Amino acid sequence: MNFQLTEEQEMLRKMIRDFAENDVEPTAAERDEEERFDRAIFDKMAELGLTGIPWPEEYGGIGADFVSYCIAVEELSRVCASTGVTLSAHLSLASWPIYQYGNETQKKTFLHRLATGEALGAYALSEPGSGSDAASMKTIAKKEGNDYILNGNKVWITNGGVADIYIVFAMTDPEAGHKGISAFIVEKGTDGFTFGKKEKKLGIRSSPTTELIFENCRIPQENLLGEEGQGFKIAMSTLDGGRNGIAAQALGIAQGALDAAADYAKEREQFGKPIAANQGISFKLADMATEVEASRLLTYQAAWLESEGQSYGKASAMSKLFAGDAAMRITTEAVQVFGGYGYTKDYPVERYMRDAKITQIYEGTNEIQRLVIGRMLTK
Ligand code: CAA
Ligand code: FAD
């Protein structure tokens, strides 16, 4: 057993940390305040090869592994969780299903554009009446000649509006329940595809979350991903890896909050000594650091399993569950270590706390992760 990162993974971490601290962190608070997505940051990620980390070079990627991908999301989220989820949704939710289920033409076109960062990706499963119960979706795709006609609404879509390529799930056979769901690759600009409400959110405010509207939207059958009726399997298996991306996001947020709290506890003096000299504070930091490390081990383990071609669905649900809950506890404690200052926008810990909350909700709430893990243990 070897817990050492490889030289390549260490180099990648250093490169991403430099990028995150120099190009992402300086505007993170301002973008959060203004709810502003910055495409230039995504373009810079593309220049660095981050938009195609795990894909082979023939599809525009850099051929690294899934641990490297997690390190990227972690390091970005350590300074800006919105930027972390932009990459996570792009890579594991929009690109992965094309890599896994796409035909050669779809990989050479859509995946290549995503991997090189020419295009930004999004994944559209949720609907107003269908969140945790994803199979109960209402969006319809009706076959007409060589096309499918899409009608319905998707909500909460990360990168919605700014993304160029969307993986959209719709019912091709409503009578068949989850076996009647199919997956489509839909490009921005397609007639009948527009954007609705952009959500105003508690956290990850510089990551746009937007409604998608399909009104008689005509999709060529070449854009069917996998086979008709295979959509729910595609959606679920995509989430197996996506959930570990969210674990990496939670891990990064927690590490950022811990680093900030530890620095502050050494500097801030009360009663004539640094507050870190009180066991009440140093024990808090010790618990936070232990939970960060446990999150990291679970997250890297799930990513390693995926890279090794082993089963990783349960490991991903566990990493997302643990790291998400831990990030919420750790960021709340970080605000506590900062006292009143932590409650203000003068320091980043209130943003970390707001951002952490979403990691318990999206890509399946943590109740759904428990359901997934429980079913796997007892099936
Ligand atoms: N891989 C492949 N197939 C899978 C699977 C997986 N991980 N999980 C389930 N399936 C298959 C099952 O084998 C079954 O197939 P058969 O009928 O052929 O046997 C079929 O799917 C139905 O399975 P279930 O009976 O378990 O389905 P269910 O309706 O009970 O739902 C659920 C299961 C786990 C609750 C699922 O609905 C779910 O994951 N809900 C949460 C939705 C979610 O996570 N949404 C995230 C949206 S993306 C997002 O949020 C983006 C972001 O953060 C940036
Ligand atoms: P509901 O399903 O209505 O759940 C409400 C509550 O009931 C939750 O606490 C839930 O855990 C609980 N609950 C429901 N069923 C059970 C059960 N069986 N057992 C125990 N408890 C249960 N979706 C996409 O498709 N693509 C995206 O890119 C995307 N990005 C998102 C970004 C943001 C910022 C947000 C907020 C959401 C995003 N989502 C996205 C949607 C997200 O995945 C859903 O919000 C999530 O799956 C929960 O669905 P819901 O909000 O409808 O809650």
Side-chain angles (χ1 to χ4, degrees), residues 1-7 9-10 67 297 300-301 304 308:
M1 191 163 230
N2 183 359
F3 288 95
Q4 197 82 41
L5 293 182
T6 64
E7 210 175 306
Q9 288 162 342
E10 290 287 11
V67 176
L297 289 172
Y300 288 8
Q301 176 188 241
W304 177 82
E308 293 294 304

Side-chain angles (χ1 to χ4, degrees), residues 75-225:
E75 288 298 329
L76 294 170
S77 304
R78 185 175 153 268
V79 302
C80 174
S82 294
T83 305
V85 76
T86 301
L87 184 67
S88 179
H90 169 82
L91 264 173
S92 50
L93 296 184
S95 311
W96 186 90
I98 305 180
Y99 178 65
Q100 192 64 27
Y101 296 100
N103 58 38
E104 207 46 31
T105 310
Q106 290 169 339
K107 287 186 200 177
K108 291 248 159 71
T109 52
F110 297 114
L111 180 60
H112 197 278
R113 283 171 60 202
L114 289 164
T116 56
E118 179 195 327
L120 171 60
Y123 169 97
L125 178 68
S126 305
E127 298 185 1
S130 150
S132 299
D133 184 9
S136 67
M137 68 178 64
K138 295 279 180 280
T139 297
I140 293 271
K142 196 165 179 288
K143 191 87 191 272
E144 203 179 276
N146 288 333
D147 298 328
Y148 288 90
I149 311 295
L150 220 58
N151 276 290
N153 289 26
K154 295 288 175 181
V155 288
W156 310 113
I157 307 309
T158 298
N159 297 341
V162 296
D164 309 288
I165 294 173
Y166 296 76
I167 306 296
V168 179
F169 299 91
M171 284 282 183
T172 40
D173 181 2
E175 304 298 308
H178 72 262
K179 290 187 195 297
I181 294 172
S182 302
F184 298 91
I185 303 169
V186 182
E187 291 189 75
K188 184 180 183 174
T190 307
D191 279 349
F193 172 24
T194 53
F195 303 107
K197 184 180 172 212
K198 180 175 175 242
E199 304 296 339
K200 294 187 79 66
K201 308 194 297 292
L202 174 72
I204 56 160
R205 285 159 55 91
S206 62
S207 157
T209 310
T210 311
E211 180 185 15
L212 315 184
I213 303 168
F214 300 98
E215 285 170 310
N216 294 323
C217 175
R218 189 173 285 273
I219 309 295
Q221 71 178 7
E222 297 81 64
N223 286 22
L224 175 71
L225 185 61

Side-chain angles (χ1 to χ4, degrees), residues 58-72:
E58 61 176 312
Y59 300 130
I62 61 168
D65 66 348
F66 288 96
V67 176
S68 304
Y69 155 63
C70 284
I71 291 171

